[in-house]
Amino acid sequence: MEKNEYYVLITNHTMKQLPDALENIALHHWIFNSDMQLSSREYHPDTHRVAIGDTYIGGDGKNQLMIAGPCAIESREQIEQSCQMLQQQGIRVLRAGCYKPRTSPYTFRGLGEDGLKLLAEMREKYGLLIATEMRDATHADKVVEYADIVQIGAKAMYDHGLLTAAGQSGKPVILKRGFGSTLQELVNCADFIMSCGNEQVILCERGIRSFETKTRFTLDLCGVAWLKEHCNLPIILDPSHAMGYAYGIGDLARACTAMGIDGLLIETHPNPSCAQSDSAQQLNHQQFAGMYQSLQAVAAAVGKRLV
Ligand code: PEP
Ligand code: MN
């Protein structure tokens, strides 16, 4: 990997010694216990700073970014209503899916490129940044073209084609943890992106599958504590997909904020009961405003600024 005036040579972690031939050439070398390398604090102790429009996350760790919007863009009217609310609340990043990964083939799969075009219009009209998901390689280039922030969803976490496309995109990437994936697998996937030359990776904990069935998934806050300790990437949390029901989102968002995280991803819809995907977990606009307001004091208590 080429980096400014030098090269970074990465091997897998089973190599425990610097080869003799590199003895007089290498500026530094690191011996790792796993293939969490570029994303580890051993290699780069400070949290990477990822620019988000006129602000950032990571770096000095002062900012907590709010990313919000409906699960999917469904119509012009729906997305306009969403943007108006976000603008009123002072939110910078609109997140809405155009290519939805679904568990059933008989449900809404998103508006595709028409959705991307509408999102681009919304960016112009409301001055919001656009985060949206690449589901598979057939449209990765389109998503890179339109999005300000590229999302790789939980079900696609291992897709090497997408990890490479995101790594070559030059854009910030939200990498969601697969619901059946270990933390090691998540950070290895982050290393896939980073080894393509893109260090603007944001990890997202969105709940893992446990024996519990009363909630949709189980939000792994222990995992977040581990990532904060060992990984050099900003971490955001998605309580919406973890809980699966609107009623728990406010409590979880406050708990996540109290952990001192870099961002939250919250699904909100102008009329959740009519939403074409993830209807039960989306907050209506009034609920969203109340939840967001309640985060201010929690964020301040842990030295964070909501951006
Ligand atoms: C989403 O973000 O709307 C989504 C489908 O989430 P996940 O990939 O975490 O399941
Ligand atoms: Mn969703």
Side-chain angles (χ1 to χ4, degrees):
M1 189 170 82
E2 202 172 336
K3 204 158 178 210
N4 304 326
E5 69 288 7
Y6 55 86
Y7 289 91
V8 180
L9 178 65
I10 314 165
T11 67
N12 75 53
H13 73 280
T14 55
M15 183 175 257
K16 295 295 185 197
Q17 231 180 332
L18 185 69
D20 291 346
L22 296 178
E23 197 68 56
N24 298 320
I25 305 172
L27 290 171
H28 298 285
H29 73 277
W30 291 261
I31 305 292
F32 293 102
N33 291 324
S34 83
D35 277 343
M36 176 195 193
Q37 299 194 34
L38 299 176
S39 60
S40 75
R41 289 207 190 275
E42 273 170 275
Y43 171 65
H44 182 96
D46 300 329
T47 307
H48 284 287
R49 179 182 156 120
V50 178
I52 308 286
D54 63 356
T55 189
Y56 65 90
I57 54 172
D60 61 11
K62 292 223 158 62
N63 292 339
Q64 177 178 316
L65 179 69
M66 180 59 78
I67 302 169
C71 179
I73 173 168
E74 298 166 1
S75 67
R76 176 180 293 276
E77 192 193 357
Q78 172 241 20
I79 206 69
E80 290 258 13
Q81 287 175 0
S82 301
C83 292
Q84 282 157 8
M85 187 278 285
L86 296 182
Q87 197 184 45
Q88 266 167 22
Q89 295 295 322
I91 308 283
R92 284 178 172 77
V93 184
L94 164 70
R95 196 212 64 130
C98 301
Y99 300 92
K100 296 307 299 175
R102 303 308 303 275
T103 33
S104 160
Y106 310 119
T107 51
F108 178 63
R109 296 194 215 178
L111 297 182
E113 193 174 354
D114 290 343
L116 291 176
K117 288 183 178 156
L118 260 176
L119 288 181
E121 256 186 65
M122 296 302 114
R123 168 173 43 218
E124 292 310 311
K125 186 163 175 186
Y126 294 96
L128 296 162
L129 297 171
I130 303 299
T132 195
E133 173 167 2
M134 45 165 78
R135 184 188 55 211
D136 60 61
T138 59
H139 54 255
D141 53 346
K142 289 265 172 267
V143 170
V144 169
E145 181 187 333
Y146 286 96
D148 299 299
I149 302 172
V150 169
Q151 175 179 314
I152 296 181
K155 297 182 195 80
M157 187 197 84
Y158 288 111
D159 186 321
H160 292 179
L162 289 185
L163 295 173
T164 304
Q168 293 169 346
S169 69
K171 302 210 164 161
V173 180
I174 296 174
L175 177 64
K176 293 187 110 184
R177 178 182 181 185
F179 51 75
S181 306
T182 64
L183 295 166
Q184 181 70 51
E185 288 163 338
L186 171 66
V187 292
N188 279 3
C189 289
D191 258 65
F192 261 105
I193 300 172
M194 297 175 88
S195 61
C196 295
N198 187 357
E199 290 178 331
Q200 305 170 83
V201 181
I202 301 162
L203 300 180
C204 180
E205 162 59 30
R206 46 77 74 209
I208 52 176
R209 182 155 284 164
S210 70
F211 55 80
E212 186 52 72
T213 56
K214 298 289 188 213
T215 58
R216 192 176 182 192
F217 294 97
T218 297
L219 193 60
D220 182 13
L221 298 186
C222 294
V224 172
W226 185 89
L227 290 168
K228 282 176 71 172
E229 181 71 13
H230 297 285
C231 181
N232 61 30
L233 297 171
I235 303 155
I236 66 171
L237 282 93
D238 168 2
S240 298
H241 288 88
M243 183 69 203
Y245 301 100
Y247 66 82
I249 307 303
D251 287 344
L252 287 169
R254 286 182 288 277
C256 293
T257 300
M259 283 192 78
I261 53 161
D262 299 291
L264 275 176
L265 192 166
I266 305 282
E267 286 194 341
T268 173
H269 190 286
N271 188 356
S273 59
C274 296
Q276 299 203 52
S277 59
D278 288 348
S279 161
Q281 73 196 29
Q282 301 201 61
L283 301 183
N284 66 34
H285 288 176
Q286 200 185 354
Q287 290 167 327
F288 180 86
M291 180 277 309
Y292 188 49
Q293 179 58 33
S294 77
L295 297 182
Q296 299 286 352
V298 184
V302 294
K304 289 270 184 182
R305 194 165 44 211
L306 296 181
V307 297

